[in-house]
Amino acid sequence: MEYRNVAFGYVPQAGYLRLQWNPEGGIRGTRIFTGQTIDLCAGCDFPIPHEAEPEDLFIALAACNEYRLFGEGRTEGWYETLWGDDSMYRRARDGHGLAITSDGLLRVLTTAAKWGRIRVEVERLRGPQFWQARMWVLHPEEDQEPELGPVIVDAGDVRTMLRAARHLMPVGGQNADQLDGLMSSDAGQVARVLEDLYMSDADTILSLAIFGSYTVG
């Protein structure tokens, strides 16, 4: 099906999502980082007006899937979701307002990988400004297929993960201070946080961005 409309949203317990729909019927939600999708089933007769609001469409999509998103347990709490258009995606990748460098973003990724659930292989590295890596997130059960990957990520992707994690972080949530430091406009503060960043902290922050929660699976 061809989808004519798109919105992006930071969805608690689901992660950073792309929502697509068209007035003729059809709604699809896709996790940005994993590529997992959920669809409105053919049996649902939810009317889709031309001026449809993303939050209403997403609730219909969730209800159709019995509130079990991406094969996971029953979830709720989407009233805190922030929706935007495709410019949200472009801005999320941009470095405006952040002091963290491409090299610092790679350091966040490789620090998370030391915890063991995230696997990273750097494939292209041209100085501190440009890099690409293959990334996996392992399933909690060792005999299962990886929860994510392999996917190609770059500095913009990790920057997007930090922005997504910031929006999805509960008030007073675990690792909120470290995340605020990583997203500071003060290069000195970013450097201090990177120096003291534990591998479990980095893993938690990236897992929150990718899956919408602290746990994988």
Side-chain angles (χ1 to χ4, degrees):
M1 176 180 292
E2 180 180 350
Y3 296 97
R4 300 180 183 177
N5 303 282
V6 64
F8 293 83
Y10 300 109
V11 183
Q13 304 173 63
Y16 189 29
L17 302 188
R18 178 171 57 248
L19 187 70
Q20 298 168 280
W21 71 95
N22 69 54
E24 283 69 47
I27 307 172
R28 167 169 289 184
T30 304
R31 268 180 169 159
I32 294 294
F33 301 114
T34 70
Q36 294 168 285
T37 62
I38 53 173
D39 294 285
L40 191 72
C41 74
C44 285
D45 58 356
F46 178 78
I48 304 177
H50 285 275
E51 300 300 324
E53 294 294 332
E55 52 265 38
D56 296 329
L57 297 172
F58 183 75
I59 291 299
L61 181 61
C64 173
N65 286 270
E66 299 180 341
Y67 300 97
R68 298 181 185 276
L69 304 183
F70 308 105
E72 299 176 9
R74 188 177 179 87
T75 55
E76 57 186 18
W78 301 309
Y79 53 84
E80 297 176 347
T81 297
L82 173 67
W83 293 101
D85 59 19
D86 57 358
S87 65
M88 174 193 281
Y89 181 76
R90 295 194 301 271
R91 292 196 306 270
R93 291 182 54 86
D94 192 89
H96 180 73
L98 303 183
I100 191 167
T101 63
S102 293
D103 186 59
L105 292 162
L106 179 58
R107 187 169 173 181
V108 172
L109 186 62
T110 55
T111 300
K114 294 176 183 177
W115 188 240
R117 293 189 299 181
I118 294 175
R119 299 287 175 85
V120 173
E121 290 182 2
V122 178
E123 293 190 321
R124 299 177 65 187
L125 182 64
R126 294 206 304 267
Q129 297 303 315
F130 180 83
W131 57 265
Q132 283 187 336
R134 289 202 301 166
M135 174 180 168
W136 298 256
V137 179
L138 302 184
H139 195 280
E141 299 177 16
E142 294 183 358
D143 60 343
Q144 300 293 316
E145 290 293 319
E147 195 78 3
L148 163 66
V151 295
I152 301 298
V153 295
D154 59 17
D157 292 313
V158 180
R159 193 180 289 115
T160 301
M161 291 178 188
L162 294 184
R163 294 192 194 277
R166 178 64 272 175
H167 283 280
L168 294 168
M169 180 71 71
V171 175
Q174 180 182 355
N175 303 112
D177 290 343
Q178 289 95 332
L179 182 54
D180 285 343
L182 291 172
M183 299 186 69
S184 171
S185 60
D186 183 337
Q189 183 176 357
V190 173
R192 289 190 292 272
V193 173
L194 284 172
E195 186 67 28
D196 296 333
L197 188 66
Y198 289 108
M199 51 192 178
S200 58
D201 298 331
D203 173 273
T204 295
I205 289 169
L206 297 189
S207 294
L208 178 61
I210 295 168
F211 298 101
S213 63
Y214 290 123
T215 57
V216 178

